[in-house]
Every structure is written in structure tokens, then in C-alpha cells.
Amino acid sequence: SKERRYTMEFDHVLSVRCSVRRYTEEPVSEEDIQKIVKAGEEVPVGHFDFKNYAIAAITDKKVLRLLAEENQALSGRGDPIYGAPLLLLIMNTPEAREDSIKLNAGIMAENMHLKAVDLGLGSICIYSFIRTLNQEEGYGKYFQALHLPEGLKPAMAVAVGHTPMVQRERRFVARIPTFRIDGKG
């Protein structure tokens, strides 16, 4: 049936989804950027709080290089987006419900991550450099260089790009304890 076909395709996306840390210099097409951003916009934001979130699609090489340089200087860990040519920055306003920000941003990130896989692109969800931005005074020149509306604050990010890695299905291994409560005994 048609419904079954879609389920199998989605299961395939889930089985090849992985965090990619190697990218080529090939830019992500504008069409693919729009599809990935749309996937992030199609989430069910808690309390219908859409007005307090925004997504920035960043392909400016100067801004991405500044992010890598700042991260290297502060953490010694190098480029947090591994040279990806596209960074999708999920942000919130100060009015966003504090108890829902990470949840909503995480759902947006995962939707974009899965769409990138569906398009044959590599991607990785990232929080480390955002945590640094929130904790280190004087950090964030890359964020200031975006010239975004006042008050927006990064909550989560997804790096996307073409990758030399081949998408491979992973064998499923249950790693999270799961309990079934059915009331039958």
C-alpha cells in the first residue's frame, strides 16, 4: 500500500541517519536549504509558541570561519561544524518559555537533520559552541556578525553539507531500556 511505502522510506532515513564530521567544499543548493529549513518549521512547537523562535541559514564563509576561530581559541577543539558549508542556527527570543526552549530547538534540529539525510547530505546537530556562547564573556563575534534582530539567542544548531562518506544502513541495536505497560496482567 502507499502508506507502507512511505513507512519503509522513513525507516531507511532513520537507519542511515548519523552525525557527519567530514564535508566537501561543495555548497548546499538553495533548493535543498529551503527544504531543510521547511522541515525545521514543520515542528509542533510547545504552547504554539512559534513567534518566539527563528532559524538562520548561514553560508557566509567569513562568518563560519570566525565561528571556527573563536571556538578554537576558547576550547581548543577547532571547528565545531567540521567545515560544513551550511549552518542552521535555531534561536529563541527572551519571551520563549524557558522550560521548553531546548525541547523545541531539539525537535527542530532533528527534523532538519533527518531532511538533510533524506536529501543525501551529511549533517550533525550541535550544541557545544552555543553552550560556550552562553558561558564565555566576549565570545560570539560570529553571532554579532549575523546582524540579526535584537534579542535572539542561539539554542541549537545543525551543520549540513555534502560529504565524502557513503550513507550506510546501520543494524539496529536497542540501547535504551524500554518498558511495555499494557494492563494485561
Side-chain angles (χ1 to χ4, degrees), residues 9-185:
E9 289 174 7
F10 184 70
D11 287 347
H12 178 73
V13 168
L14 290 176
S15 73
V16 298
R17 175 228 175 273
C18 66
S19 295
V20 172
R21 292 175 176 86
R22 284 189 4 215
Y23 300 94
T24 68
E25 292 184 16
E26 181 181 350
V28 177
S29 73
E30 188 59 38
E31 180 182 351
D32 284 351
I33 293 171
Q34 289 175 11
K35 288 177 182 178
I36 296 167
V37 169
K38 182 178 181 240
E41 293 175 327
E42 289 183 335
V43 301
V45 171
H47 301 281
F48 213 69
D49 196 23
F50 294 100
K51 69 183 179 304
N52 288 312
Y53 290 89
I55 299 170
I58 305 161
T59 55
D60 185 323
K61 290 178 183 179
K62 291 176 190 171
V63 172
L64 299 177
R65 189 170 35 255
L66 184 56
L67 168 60
E69 290 168 359
E70 281 190 331
N71 196 68
Q72 174 64 36
L74 276 170
S75 70
R77 289 191 244 148
D79 184 359
I81 66 168
Y82 306 96
L86 170 62
L87 176 64
L88 297 156
L89 196 57
I90 301 162
M91 301 164 291
N92 62 277
T93 68
E95 291 78 28
R97 291 180 56 117
E98 187 66 35
D99 63 345
S100 301
I101 292 170
K102 287 183 182 176
L103 174 66
N104 289 329
I107 295 169
M108 287 179 208
E110 185 64 9
N111 263 24
M112 291 189 287
H113 192 34
L114 291 171
K115 187 60 182 179
V117 171
D118 183 48
L119 295 169
L121 298 165
S123 60
I124 185 169
C125 295
I126 309 165
Y127 180 71
S128 63
F129 73 90
I130 292 169
R131 181 177 39 247
T132 304
L133 176 67
N134 294 333
Q135 293 174 347
E136 298 289 335
E137 191 144 337
Y139 180 68
K141 290 184 179 105
Y142 79 91
F143 189 68
Q144 294 165 3
L146 299 175
H147 304 290
L148 294 166
E150 188 73 29
L152 288 174
K153 180 179 173 185
M156 183 70 74
V158 181
V160 180
H162 295 272
T163 179
M165 298 172 59
V166 177
Q167 285 186 343
R168 291 195 175 101
E169 283 196 43
R170 294 182 321 273
R171 184 175 62 84
F172 175 73
V173 177
R175 292 178 244 170
I176 299 171
T178 304
F179 306 95
R180 174 76 168 91
I181 293 86
D182 61 12
K184 292 182 181 178

